[in-house]
Amino acid sequence: MLRRVILGTRNHIGRLNNARFLSQDTNEATKIEKSVNSVTLLGRVGANPQKRGTTEHPVVIFSLATHTNYKYETGDFMQRTDWHKVCVFKPNLRDAVYQFLKKGQRVMVNGRLSYSEFKDDEGNSRPSTAIIADDVIFFQ
């Protein structure tokens, strides 16, 4: 009985959303689902932006500091700073960031998280996390 209720609910929801549910007989590799990878940061630029990459694949990189304020049980206020690496690939945005963004400036970044690895000087793999910027809003 429980199985019938669940299947009936799934079919009803599927009709409402114009969605199809795959049966167990269908190839799971053809199933396409949506996901969200979205980040919004508001903080201050740690250093002037730098140009990196190659002429075919240029990128502008800058660091962004965000702060979290918290209070200890003793009543003391503390502030923790997190540093974020921001990468800008979009051509017009990349040029504007490189030309106009300066150290200490307040900025809001909308983008997505990206995880990767790089090899250090000794050849060890090191993890790296970056924000890939879709939009950068300058504050004065």
Side-chain angles (χ1 to χ4, degrees):
M1 183 68 172
L2 180 60
R3 185 171 190 199
R4 288 169 124 182
V5 172
I6 291 172
L7 290 176
T9 304
R10 285 178 59 186
N11 289 336
H12 178 67
I13 291 170
R15 280 193 303 266
L16 287 176
N17 294 328
N18 292 328
R20 286 185 277 152
F21 290 97
L22 299 176
S23 68
Q24 293 176 350
D25 299 333
T26 310
N27 183 358
E28 290 293 323
T30 61
K31 183 178 177 181
I32 298 173
E33 62 183 30
K34 298 193 180 194
S35 62
V36 176
N37 179 355
S38 180
V39 175
T40 301
L41 299 172
L42 175 65
R44 294 208 178 263
V45 177
N48 289 336
Q50 300 176 354
K51 282 187 179 180
R52 297 265 179 96
T54 63
T55 54
E56 297 88 28
H57 303 289
V59 61
V60 168
I61 297 174
F62 65 94
S63 60
L64 183 69
T66 59
H67 305 290
T68 304
N69 298 314
Y70 57 95
K71 183 176 167 181
Y72 279 114
E73 292 175 359
T74 60
D76 296 333
F77 283 96
M78 297 297 292
Q79 186 177 67
R80 177 173 179 232
T81 302
D82 291 315
W83 288 95
H84 311 276
K85 176 181 172 183
V86 180
C87 300
V88 186
F89 290 98
K90 290 183 174 181
N92 292 337
L93 183 59
R94 181 183 63 226
D95 296 340
V97 165
Y98 186 72
Q99 186 175 2
F100 299 112
L101 196 64
K102 302 296 178 216
K103 178 181 177 179
Q105 189 170 359
R106 197 160 160 84
V107 68
M108 185 163 83
V109 175
N110 291 313
R112 62 185 172 83
L113 275 174
S114 176
Y115 300 99
S116 62
E117 290 183 350
F118 67 94
K119 300 256 185 204
D120 63 11
D121 295 336
E122 288 120 25
N124 300 321
S125 288
R126 307 284 245 143
S128 176
T129 304
I131 310 302
I132 308 301
D134 290 324
D135 195 19
V136 178
I137 300 170
F138 299 80
F139 291 89
Q140 292 186 359

